[in-house]
Amino acid sequence: MTVKTLLLDGKPVSAGEGQSLLDLCRENGVKLPTLCHLDGLSDVGACRLCLVEVKGSNKLLPACTTQAQEGMDVSTTSDRLRRYRRQIVELLFAERNHVCAVCVANGNCELQAVALEVGMDHVRFEYQCPQTELDASHPRFVLDHARCILCTRCVRVCDEIEAAHTWDVANRGAASRVITDMAVPWGKADSCTTCGKCIRVCPTGALFEKERAAVGTSKNRNFLVYIKNAREKGQWSR
Amino acid sequence: MIAEPASATSPKGGDKRLKMLDAAMRRQQFQADALLEVLHSAQELYGFLSGEVLLHIGRSLKVPPSRVYGVATFYNHFSLKPKGEHTCTVCMGTACYVKGAGEILGRVRDELGLSERKSTTDDGKASVVVARCVGACGIAPAVVFDQEVAGGLGPEAVVSRVRGWIR
Amino acid sequence: MSPTDSLEEIAQRRNAARAERKCRVSVCSGLGCESVGAGAVLEKVRARMRLQGLAEESEVHLTGCRGLCQRGPIVEVEWGPAEAKERRLYLDVDEACADQLALEMATSGAPPASLRDHGGEPFFTRQTKIVLANAGVIDPEDIESCIAAGAYSALEKAVTEKKPAEVVQMITESGLRGRGGAGYPTGLKWSTVAKAAGTRKYVVCNGDEGDPGAFMDRSVLEGDPHEVLEGMAIAAYAVGAEQGFIYVRAEYPLAIKRLRAAIKQAERLNLLGAHIFDTGFNFRVDVRTGAGAFVCGEETALIASIEGGRGTPRPRPPYPAVSGLWGQPTLINNVETLANVAAIVRNGPAWFAGIGTEKSKGTKVFALAGKIQNTGLIEVPMGMTLREIIFDIGGGIPGGKRFKAAQTGGPSGGCIPAQFLDLPVDYESLQQVGTIMGSGGLIVMDESSCMVDVAKFFIEFCREESCGKCIPCRAGTVQIHDILVRITHGLGNFEDLEKLEDLADLLRNTSLCGLGQTAPNPVVSTIRYFRDEYLAHVNEHRCPAGVCAMAGSTAAREPSRAHSVA
């Protein structure tokens, strides 16, 4: 296992084989905003919040999918990176109907947390106000498209951890939406095992439990790493 | 194995089409990777991809239904709704756009009472769809009437051709 | 047609037969000509020859795109003794004319003098053909005619005389760069794949030609499929692959049909398959059909599509050359890039490097379209000026109008205004003025085009083709498009221009793939060179070109809600 040394915001650090820049940042107390990343799930580099500057590359690289290489010179923050992160969150808020005041995840929402983190306090772009629907056909859970940011964590957890692959994404572009089975109401999706993993990984109030609707959600997402360690290494560590 | 897929287009040949679809899948050794090729075959056989056909394909290739649906809806070429008996495809590539394809599209849609969201007439006789480029830029504006590509037509000519379909 | 005949034997036999024939008539079977009855013209000539008893002594066949699509059907005639063949090129040949032509040839041995020969015109003489060299000579549906013109001789040379690394070196020395748009050095890509570690390598030909306004690849695949297949096989030999895929978009059914037939014919002659030319080299090619997604022209999205999934791109690195199809090293090259390979191997890299400019070698096929006299397909050496292309070969702007701009690179490119008409067309020069070579679509616009409208057209395209995976592109193209819709309806303001520039910067730098990264190019380019038009729209609510309906219509008041989610 080769260890690499590189510069992280000017500070020399060491990285293990296959370690991502995101992991490296966390290890060294450097905070990077993320939304599509979740420990325990594969990384897709989709939200673009964790982009960092690497000397020698004219492209910004997503920290979650970029492996640390020997001699890299990584900058995790700059005026322009800050501006991009803010704008990305603005675009998200403008894309669907994220009205926090009436949302079950209010106060426990990763989108809100990221907005605070990147300093987004107003949205300059036109609110799209798409017509969205709520799917409450499942006996225990609800899907609210208005809150979905298409992070695909639900798709990945259902595919990679529960392996039922109930969730996927239909259509393309801004018309994309998450679907269950043959785009049937969730309650009719035969493949769903009601395990609730998708609820737990969802960063916003798009997926929530009916019985928690009134009191609000609070989600513990650490269970994924717990399961993975158990399954892959035979270790149950809390 | 599965019920005859409800098809608004052709009343005959349901069983035969299913056999041909199964043969197509067999040719691909029922590999999950061949999903797009199989969807193409199904679209050719049935004219569109119904829920039953998609489910059957998913079961045969052992691909989860949501993935089949996700793939089928990603690509422009696949249609989950039956198309009309005739299809008028207006090319909206750059060359055609510059030569007035926008006007042709508008006129043809108006003539048939169609829009961006509604692409097939209620009686199922005709559909108007947009192609992003059929590669006939040399004869722009290009309009495809069923399988036949025609170039350099004005809006009136296109409209009268289409009128002939619904009369 | 025995599988044991050598290429040379087949070529000799065919060429001798052709030389003996009294005459040869080739009818262009490109899409443009097909749409105006080329098929019927072909049949007419054949019928007349049969009637005159000359069926055996004449050769009448289909051939690939001759390039001048608005003047079809295009027919070329060749006649005379073996040492002194003459040729004439005719345009707008309808059935009656074809019959007259055939009759005259049959009775007098030469075509009628009254028919005008266009072969000497600038459109045809000013071009330099490498990729399109066989148009007029071969019948794409008959492999022997292609072999007679040299098909597969380069493959034979490569696998029997050269080592794989030597072939890679040839391509590197030639200076060939990717013709799909990015201009990446082809030799470098081949070398990377050749050196990458993997159990099975793949060669993929990217025939997804999604650029609206481009049909170069289509014409090559339909008109000379063996040229592409041979290029793929040589590439496979060079990088160590045994399996190839040609990914062709669904909108090109004729290309798919011709390719499938060509592959079968090549397999029958053992030019594809196992133990090619009795060596240890095996190479199989399968056709994969696209399904209408522009994003699938992007390499990682193309891979996802061949793997049977949604065409969403993946972060790079890792690059496909190292980890592509099913995680294996995969060489992905554009159709036109591969179409150059055989010629380079046959004639040597120095020959290729002698054409073009210092950094852009060889030729480029362009699809000339828009407000130009001669619309169609041309192939010119890199470095020819835009003026020569548009005015000498293209015949200038019809209707006495003024040239306003040329758009290259499709939705990923920018506009070139009149001040750069003397720009040499090569990779670097185009980049410097804010556009890209792109795949070869070259749309000419005159004073009747509104550049803001053009920008809106392209961003609308990107919005619809965005895969939706990453936020900047998915949500950003919507925002940019909405702003341009407002501006073109007279509802824009100066702040909108600032927003456009901010969004452009965001998408270019943070999008996951080339679609999002280059989507703002048409907007940025038109603001750069036609800022006054934008200012007129937002400050005066006026469209100088008279294209945009500036009445502040209700359609613009509600920015496009084309998508209702769920």
Side-chain angles (χ1 to χ4, degrees), chain C residues 6-72:
Chain C
S6 74
L7 287 185
E8 261 184 74
E9 285 164 350
I10 296 173
Q12 260 166 19
R13 190 176 3 104
R14 273 306 197 94
N15 285 328
R18 183 173 277 190
E20 290 291 296
R21 295 231 169 78
K22 275 223 169 109
C23 63
R24 182 169 68 88
V25 180
S26 71
V27 180
C28 173
S29 70
L31 188 61
C33 291
E34 283 285 326
S35 78
V36 289
V41 164
L42 180 76
E43 281 318 310
K44 204 53 170 215
V45 175
R46 280 197 174 132
R48 176 52 70 182
M49 290 302 181
R50 266 198 303 273
L51 226 71
Q52 303 296 123
L54 276 175
E56 292 300 313
E57 295 171 64
S58 65
E59 190 184 346
V60 183
H61 67 95
L62 279 179
T63 193
C65 182
R66 301 314 303 265
L68 198 49
C69 305
Q70 268 182 346
R71 304 294 301 276

Coordinates of all heavy atoms in Angstrom, one line a residue, chain C residues 6-72:
Chain C
S6 N -6.4 -13.2 -52.7 CA -5.7 -12.1 -52.0 C -6.3 -10.8 -52.4 O -7.0 -10.7 -53.4 CB -4.2 -12.2 -52.3 OG -4.0 -11.6 -53.6
L7 N -6.0 -9.8 -51.6 CA -6.6 -8.5 -51.9 C -6.1 -8.0 -53.3 O -6.9 -7.5 -54.1 CB -6.1 -7.5 -50.9 CG -6.7 -7.5 -49.5 CD1 -6.1 -6.3 -48.6 CD2 -8.2 -7.4 -49.5
E8 N -4.8 -8.3 -53.5 CA -4.3 -7.9 -54.8 C -5.0 -8.5 -56.0 O -5.3 -7.9 -57.0 CB -2.8 -8.3 -54.9 CG -1.8 -7.2 -54.5 CD -0.4 -7.7 -54.7 OE1 0.0 -7.8 -55.9 OE2 0.2 -8.0 -53.7
E9 N -5.3 -9.8 -55.8 CA -6.0 -10.5 -56.9 C -7.4 -9.9 -57.2 O -7.8 -9.7 -58.3 CB -6.1 -12.0 -56.6 CG -4.8 -12.8 -56.7 CD -4.9 -14.1 -56.0 OE1 -5.9 -14.4 -55.3 OE2 -3.9 -14.9 -56.2
I10 N -8.1 -9.7 -56.1 CA -9.4 -9.1 -56.2 C -9.3 -7.7 -56.9 O -10.0 -7.4 -57.8 CB -10.1 -8.9 -54.9 CG1 -10.3 -10.3 -54.2 CG2 -11.4 -8.2 -55.0 CD1 -10.9 -10.3 -52.8
A11 N -8.4 -6.9 -56.4 CA -8.2 -5.5 -56.9 C -7.9 -5.6 -58.4 O -8.4 -4.9 -59.2 CB -7.1 -4.8 -56.2
Q12 N -6.9 -6.5 -58.8 CA -6.5 -6.5 -60.2 C -7.7 -6.9 -61.0 O -7.9 -6.3 -62.1 CB -5.4 -7.6 -60.3 CG -4.0 -6.9 -60.4 CD -2.9 -7.9 -60.2 OE1 -3.1 -9.1 -60.3 NE2 -1.7 -7.4 -59.8
R13 N -8.4 -8.0 -60.6 CA -9.5 -8.5 -61.4 C -10.5 -7.4 -61.6 O -11.0 -7.1 -62.7 CB -10.1 -9.6 -60.7 CG -11.1 -10.4 -61.5 CD -11.8 -11.6 -60.9 NE -11.4 -12.0 -59.5 CZ -12.2 -11.8 -58.5 NH1 -13.4 -11.2 -58.6 NH2 -11.8 -12.2 -57.3
R14 N -10.9 -6.7 -60.5 CA -11.9 -5.6 -60.6 C -11.4 -4.5 -61.5 O -12.2 -3.9 -62.3 CB -12.2 -5.1 -59.3 CG -13.3 -6.0 -58.6 CD -14.5 -6.0 -59.5 NE -15.7 -6.5 -58.8 CZ -16.6 -5.6 -58.3 NH1 -16.4 -4.3 -58.4 NH2 -17.6 -6.1 -57.6
N15 N -10.2 -4.0 -61.3 CA -9.7 -2.9 -62.0 C -9.6 -3.2 -63.5 O -9.8 -2.3 -64.3 CB -8.4 -2.4 -61.4 CG -8.6 -1.6 -60.1 OD1 -9.7 -1.0 -59.9 ND2 -7.7 -1.7 -59.2
A16 N -9.1 -4.4 -63.8 CA -9.0 -4.8 -65.2 C -10.4 -4.8 -65.8 O -10.6 -4.2 -66.9 CB -8.4 -6.2 -65.3
A17 N -11.4 -5.3 -65.1 CA -12.7 -5.4 -65.7 C -13.3 -4.0 -65.9 O -13.9 -3.7 -66.9 CB -13.6 -6.1 -64.7
R18 N -13.0 -3.1 -65.0 CA -13.5 -1.7 -65.1 C -12.8 -1.0 -66.3 O -13.5 -0.3 -67.0 CB -13.2 -0.9 -63.8 CG -13.7 0.5 -63.8 CD -13.6 1.1 -62.5 NE -14.7 0.8 -61.6 CZ -14.9 1.4 -60.4 NH1 -14.1 2.4 -60.0 NH2 -15.9 1.0 -59.6
A19 N -11.5 -1.3 -66.4 CA -10.8 -0.6 -67.5 C -11.4 -1.0 -68.9 O -11.5 -0.3 -69.8 CB -9.3 -0.9 -67.4
E20 N -11.8 -2.3 -68.9 CA -12.3 -2.9 -70.2 C -13.7 -2.3 -70.5 O -14.0 -2.2 -71.7 CB -12.5 -4.4 -70.0 CG -11.2 -5.2 -69.9 CD -10.5 -5.2 -71.2 OE1 -11.1 -5.7 -72.2 OE2 -9.4 -4.6 -71.3
R21 N -14.4 -1.9 -69.5 CA -15.8 -1.5 -69.8 C -15.9 -0.2 -70.6 O -15.1 0.7 -70.5 CB -16.6 -1.3 -68.5 CG -16.7 -2.5 -67.6 CD -18.1 -2.7 -67.2 NE -18.3 -4.1 -66.7 CZ -17.9 -4.4 -65.5 NH1 -17.3 -3.5 -64.7 NH2 -18.1 -5.7 -65.1
K22 N -16.9 -0.2 -71.4 CA -17.1 0.9 -72.3 C -17.4 2.2 -71.5 O -16.9 3.3 -71.8 CB -18.4 0.7 -73.2 CG -18.1 -0.1 -74.4 CD -18.9 0.5 -75.6 CE -18.4 -0.1 -76.9 NZ -19.4 -1.0 -77.4
C23 N -18.2 2.1 -70.4 CA -18.5 3.2 -69.6 C -18.9 2.9 -68.2 O -19.2 1.7 -67.9 CB -19.6 4.1 -70.3 SG -21.2 3.1 -70.3
R24 N -18.8 3.9 -67.3 CA -19.1 3.7 -65.9 C -19.9 4.9 -65.5 O -19.5 6.0 -65.7 CB -17.9 3.5 -65.1 CG -18.2 3.2 -63.6 CD -16.9 2.8 -62.9 NE -16.0 4.0 -62.8 CZ -16.0 4.8 -61.8 NH1 -16.9 4.7 -60.8 NH2 -15.2 5.8 -61.7
V25 N -21.1 4.6 -64.9 CA -21.9 5.7 -64.4 C -22.1 5.5 -62.9 O -22.5 4.4 -62.4 CB -23.3 5.6 -65.0 CG1 -24.2 6.8 -64.5 CG2 -23.2 5.7 -66.6
S26 N -21.7 6.5 -62.1 CA -21.9 6.4 -60.7 C -23.0 7.5 -60.2 O -22.9 8.6 -60.7 CB -20.6 6.6 -59.9 OG -20.2 8.0 -60.0
V27 N -23.9 7.0 -59.4 CA -25.0 7.9 -59.0 C -24.8 8.1 -57.5 O -24.7 7.2 -56.7 CB -26.4 7.2 -59.2 CG1 -27.5 8.2 -58.7 CG2 -26.5 7.0 -60.7
C28 N -24.8 9.3 -57.0 CA -24.6 9.6 -55.6 C -25.8 9.1 -54.8 O -26.9 9.4 -55.2 CB -24.5 11.2 -55.4 SG -24.4 11.6 -53.7
S29 N -25.5 8.4 -53.7 CA -26.6 7.9 -52.9 C -26.6 8.5 -51.5 O -27.1 8.0 -50.6 CB -26.4 6.4 -52.7 OG -25.3 6.1 -51.9
G30 N -26.1 9.7 -51.4 CA -26.1 10.5 -50.2 C -27.6 10.8 -49.9 O -28.4 10.8 -50.8
L31 N -27.9 11.2 -48.7 CA -29.2 11.5 -48.3 C -29.9 12.6 -49.1 O -31.1 12.4 -49.5 CB -29.3 11.9 -46.8 CG -30.7 12.0 -46.3 CD1 -31.4 10.7 -46.3 CD2 -30.6 12.5 -44.8
G32 N -29.1 13.6 -49.4 CA -29.7 14.7 -50.2 C -30.2 14.2 -51.6 O -31.3 14.5 -52.0
C33 N -29.3 13.4 -52.3 CA -29.7 12.9 -53.6 C -30.8 11.9 -53.5 O -31.6 11.8 -54.4 CB -28.4 12.3 -54.2 SG -27.2 13.6 -54.7
E34 N -30.7 11.0 -52.5 CA -31.7 10.0 -52.3 C -33.1 10.7 -52.2 O -34.1 10.2 -52.7 CB -31.5 9.2 -51.1 CG -30.4 8.2 -51.2 CD -30.8 6.9 -52.0 OE1 -32.0 6.6 -51.9 OE2 -30.0 6.4 -52.7
S35 N -33.2 11.8 -51.5 CA -34.5 12.4 -51.3 C -35.0 13.0 -52.5 O -36.2 13.4 -52.5 CB -34.3 13.5 -50.2 OG -33.8 14.6 -50.7
V36 N -34.2 13.2 -53.6 CA -34.8 13.7 -54.8 C -34.7 12.7 -55.9 O -34.7 13.0 -57.1 CB -34.1 15.0 -55.2 CG1 -34.5 16.1 -54.3 CG2 -32.6 14.9 -55.3
G37 N -34.7 11.4 -55.5 CA -34.9 10.4 -56.5 C -33.7 9.7 -57.1 O -33.7 9.2 -58.2
A38 N -32.6 9.7 -56.4 CA -31.3 9.1 -56.9 C -31.5 7.7 -57.2 O -31.0 7.1 -58.2 CB -30.2 9.3 -55.9
G39 N -32.3 7.0 -56.4 CA -32.6 5.6 -56.6 C -33.2 5.4 -58.0 O -32.8 4.5 -58.7
A40 N -34.2 6.2 -58.3 CA -34.9 6.0 -59.6 C -34.0 6.3 -60.7 O -34.1 5.7 -61.8 CB -36.1 7.0 -59.6
V41 N -33.1 7.3 -60.5 CA -32.2 7.7 -61.6 C -31.2 6.5 -61.9 O -31.0 6.1 -63.0 CB -31.3 8.9 -61.1 CG1 -30.1 9.1 -62.0 CG2 -32.2 10.1 -61.2
L42 N -30.8 5.8 -60.8 CA -29.9 4.7 -61.0 C -30.6 3.6 -61.8 O -30.1 3.0 -62.7 CB -29.5 4.1 -59.6 CG -28.6 2.9 -59.6 CD1 -27.2 3.3 -59.9 CD2 -28.6 2.2 -58.2
E43 N -31.8 3.3 -61.4 CA -32.6 2.3 -62.1 C -32.8 2.6 -63.6 O -32.7 1.8 -64.4 CB -34.0 2.1 -61.4 CG -33.9 1.2 -60.1 CD -33.0 0.0 -60.3 OE1 -33.1 -0.7 -61.3 OE2 -32.1 -0.1 -59.4
K44 N -33.1 3.9 -63.8 CA -33.3 4.4 -65.2 C -32.1 4.1 -66.0 O -32.2 3.6 -67.2 CB -33.6 5.9 -65.1 CG -34.4 6.4 -66.3 CD -35.6 5.6 -66.5 CE -36.5 6.3 -67.5 NZ -37.9 6.1 -67.2
V45 N -30.9 4.4 -65.5 CA -29.7 4.2 -66.3 C -29.4 2.8 -66.5 O -29.1 2.3 -67.6 CB -28.5 4.9 -65.5 CG1 -27.2 4.6 -66.3 CG2 -28.7 6.4 -65.4
R46 N -29.7 2.0 -65.5 CA -29.5 0.5 -65.6 C -30.4 0.0 -66.7 O -30.0 -0.8 -67.5 CB -29.7 -0.2 -64.3 CG -28.6 -0.1 -63.4 CD -28.7 -1.1 -62.2 NE -27.4 -1.1 -61.4 CZ -27.4 -1.1 -60.1 NH1 -28.5 -1.1 -59.4 NH2 -26.3 -1.0 -59.5
A47 N -31.7 0.4 -66.6 CA -32.7 -0.1 -67.5 C -32.3 0.3 -69.0 O -32.4 -0.6 -69.9 CB -34.0 0.5 -67.2
R48 N -31.8 1.5 -69.2 CA -31.5 1.9 -70.5 C -30.3 1.1 -71.0 O -30.3 0.7 -72.2 CB -31.1 3.4 -70.5 CG -30.7 4.0 -71.8 CD -31.5 3.7 -73.0 NE -32.8 4.4 -72.9 CZ -33.7 4.3 -73.9 NH1 -33.6 3.5 -74.9 NH2 -34.9 5.0 -73.8
M49 N -29.3 0.9 -70.2 CA -28.2 0.1 -70.6 C -28.6 -1.3 -71.0 O -28.1 -1.9 -72.0 CB -27.1 0.1 -69.5 CG -26.4 1.4 -69.2 SD -25.6 2.0 -70.7 CE -24.8 3.5 -70.0
R50 N -29.5 -1.9 -70.2 CA -30.0 -3.2 -70.5 C -30.7 -3.2 -71.9 O -30.4 -4.1 -72.7 CB -31.0 -3.7 -69.5 CG -30.4 -4.5 -68.3 CD -31.4 -5.2 -67.6 NE -32.5 -4.4 -67.0 CZ -32.4 -3.8 -65.8 NH1 -31.4 -3.9 -65.1 NH2 -33.4 -3.0 -65.4
L51 N -31.5 -2.2 -72.1 CA -32.3 -2.1 -73.3 C -31.3 -2.0 -74.5 O -31.6 -2.5 -75.6 CB -33.1 -0.8 -73.3 CG -34.6 -1.0 -73.7 CD1 -35.3 -1.8 -72.7 CD2 -35.2 0.4 -73.9
Q52 N -30.3 -1.3 -74.3 CA -29.3 -1.1 -75.4 C -28.3 -2.2 -75.6 O -27.4 -2.2 -76.4 CB -28.5 0.2 -75.3 CG -29.4 1.5 -75.1 CD -30.1 1.8 -76.4 OE1 -31.4 1.9 -76.3 NE2 -29.4 1.9 -77.5
G53 N -28.5 -3.3 -74.7 CA -27.7 -4.4 -74.8 C -26.3 -4.2 -74.2 O -25.3 -4.9 -74.5
L54 N -26.2 -3.2 -73.4 CA -24.8 -2.8 -72.9 C -24.7 -3.2 -71.4 O -23.7 -2.7 -70.7 CB -24.6 -1.3 -73.0 CG -24.1 -0.9 -74.4 CD1 -24.0 0.6 -74.4 CD2 -22.7 -1.5 -74.7
A55 N -25.6 -4.0 -70.9 CA -25.5 -4.4 -69.5 C -24.2 -4.9 -69.1 O -23.7 -4.6 -68.0 CB -26.6 -5.4 -69.1
E56 N -23.6 -5.7 -69.9 CA -22.3 -6.3 -69.6 C -21.1 -5.4 -69.7 O -20.1 -5.5 -69.0 CB -22.0 -7.5 -70.5 CG -22.9 -8.7 -70.2 CD -22.9 -9.2 -68.8 OE1 -21.7 -9.4 -68.3 OE2 -23.9 -9.4 -68.2
E57 N -21.3 -4.4 -70.7 CA -20.1 -3.6 -70.9 C -20.2 -2.3 -70.2 O -19.3 -1.4 -70.4 CB -20.0 -3.3 -72.4 CG -19.8 -4.6 -73.2 CD -19.9 -4.4 -74.7 OE1 -19.1 -3.5 -75.2 OE2 -20.9 -4.9 -75.3
S58 N -21.2 -2.1 -69.4 CA -21.2 -0.9 -68.6 C -21.2 -1.2 -67.1 O -21.6 -2.3 -66.7 CB -22.5 -0.1 -69.0 OG -23.6 -0.8 -68.6
E59 N -20.8 -0.3 -66.4 CA -20.8 -0.4 -64.9 C -21.6 0.7 -64.4 O -21.3 1.9 -64.6 CB -19.4 -0.4 -64.3 CG -19.4 -0.8 -62.8 CD -18.0 -0.7 -62.2 OE1 -17.0 -0.5 -63.0 OE2 -17.9 -0.7 -61.0
V60 N -22.8 0.4 -63.8 CA -23.6 1.4 -63.2 C -23.8 1.2 -61.7 O -24.2 0.1 -61.3 CB -25.0 1.4 -63.9 CG1 -25.9 2.6 -63.3 CG2 -24.9 1.5 -65.4
H61 N -23.4 2.1 -60.9 CA -23.4 1.8 -59.5 C -23.7 3.0 -58.6 O -23.6 4.2 -59.1 CB -22.1 1.1 -59.0 CG -20.9 2.0 -59.1 ND1 -20.4 2.8 -58.1 CD2 -20.1 2.3 -60.2 CE1 -19.4 3.5 -58.4 NE2 -19.1 3.2 -59.7
L62 N -24.0 2.7 -57.4 CA -24.2 3.8 -56.4 C -22.9 4.2 -55.9 O -21.9 3.4 -55.9 CB -25.0 3.2 -55.2 CG -26.5 3.0 -55.2 CD1 -26.9 2.4 -53.9 CD2 -27.1 4.4 -55.4
T63 N -22.8 5.4 -55.4 CA -21.5 5.8 -54.7 C -21.8 6.7 -53.6 O -23.0 7.1 -53.4 CB -20.6 6.4 -55.8 OG1 -19.3 6.5 -55.2 CG2 -21.0 7.8 -56.2
G64 N -20.8 7.1 -52.8 CA -21.0 7.9 -51.7 C -21.2 9.4 -52.0 O -21.1 9.8 -53.1
C65 N -21.5 10.2 -50.9 CA -21.9 11.6 -51.1 C -20.9 12.4 -51.9 O -19.7 12.4 -51.6 CB -22.1 12.2 -49.7 SG -22.6 13.9 -49.8
R66 N -21.3 13.1 -52.9 CA -20.5 13.9 -53.8 C -20.4 15.3 -53.2 O -19.6 16.1 -53.7 CB -21.0 14.0 -55.2 CG -21.1 12.6 -55.9 CD -19.9 11.7 -55.8 NE -18.7 12.3 -56.2 CZ -18.2 12.2 -57.4 NH1 -18.8 11.4 -58.3 NH2 -17.0 12.8 -57.7
G67 N -21.2 15.6 -52.2 CA -21.0 16.8 -51.5 C -22.0 18.0 -51.8 O -22.3 18.8 -50.9
L68 N -22.5 18.1 -53.0 CA -23.3 19.3 -53.3 C -24.8 18.9 -53.2 O -25.5 18.8 -54.2 CB -22.9 19.8 -54.7 CG -23.3 21.2 -55.1 CD1 -22.9 22.2 -54.0 CD2 -22.7 21.6 -56.4
C69 N -25.2 18.8 -52.0 CA -26.5 18.2 -51.7 C -27.7 18.9 -52.3 O -28.7 18.2 -52.5 CB -26.7 18.1 -50.2 SG -25.3 17.2 -49.4
Q70 N -27.6 20.2 -52.5 CA -28.8 20.8 -53.1 C -29.0 20.6 -54.6 O -30.0 21.0 -55.1 CB -28.8 22.3 -52.8 CG -29.4 22.7 -51.5 CD -29.4 24.2 -51.3 OE1 -28.6 24.9 -52.0 NE2 -30.1 24.7 -50.3
R71 N -27.9 20.1 -55.2 CA -28.0 19.9 -56.7 C -28.1 18.5 -57.1 O -27.7 18.1 -58.2 CB -26.7 20.6 -57.3 CG -26.5 22.0 -56.9 CD -27.6 22.9 -57.4 NE -27.7 22.9 -58.9 CZ -26.9 23.6 -59.7 NH1 -26.0 24.4 -59.2 NH2 -27.0 23.4 -61.0
G72 N -28.7 17.7 -56.3 CA -28.8 16.3 -56.6 C -30.0 16.0 -57.5 O -30.9 16.9 -57.6

